[in-house]
Amino acid sequence: MRSWLRTVSITLTAALATAAVGSLLQTQINLHALTQLALQVSWPARAAVTVEDLARFGPVMFSFSLAGGVLASCLQPILRRLGLHALPCALLAGVAGLAVVLALLRSVSPMPAVAAIRESPGFALLSLCGLVGGYVSYTLRARAVRETHPHGGVALLLPAGLVLLPLVSFMFMQPTAQRAQ
C-alpha cells in the first residue's frame, strides 16, 4: 500500500473508532443529565436512544474526530522529539488533538452542538476518547511497518468505505422536516 494511502486509511480508521466511542459516551452523559432532572430513562429507552444517536450523531462526531486525528498526526513528530516513545506519543497526541477541536467547538458556539462538552467533566471525558484514536493509530502504524506485501487495488476500498460509512449513516438517519398543518 502506498504511504499516503496507508496514512489516510489509518487516520480514517482511528477517527471512526474515536467517533463511535465519543458518540456513545456523549449519549450516556446526556442521559445521565436527564436522570439528574428526576426523569426516568428505562434501559430499553436508553438502548434505543444510544443506537439512534450513534447513527445520527456518529457522523458528526466522526468529523470532529477526523479533525482531531489530523491535529494528532501533526503533534506526534513534535512529541517524539521530546523523547516520548511511540505509544505514549500517539495516546497523548490523540487526546490533545480531540481536545483542541472540542475546545474550538465550545468557544465558537454559545450553545455547543455537543451538549456533553458544555461542562468541564464532559469536556474532559470526551477529550479522553482521543485515547482510542491514538491507540488505533499506533496499532495500525506498527502493523503496517511489519507488513511487507502489497494489497493491490483492494487497499483503495478501505479509505472509501471508511468515509462512506458515516456519510451513508447520516443520510439515512437525518431528521426530516415535518410540514405544519
Side-chain angles (χ1 to χ4, degrees), residues 16 20 39 55 57 68 75 83 113 117 133 165 174 176 179 181:
L16 190 61
L39 294 172
F57 178 70
L75 284 172
I117 66 170
L165 180 65
Q174 70 182 347
T176 57
R179 295 181 185 169
Q181 295 179 340

Side-chain angles (χ1 to χ4, degrees), residues 152-166:
V154 177
L156 295 173
L157 295 176
L158 181 62
L162 291 172
V163 169
L164 288 176
L165 180 65

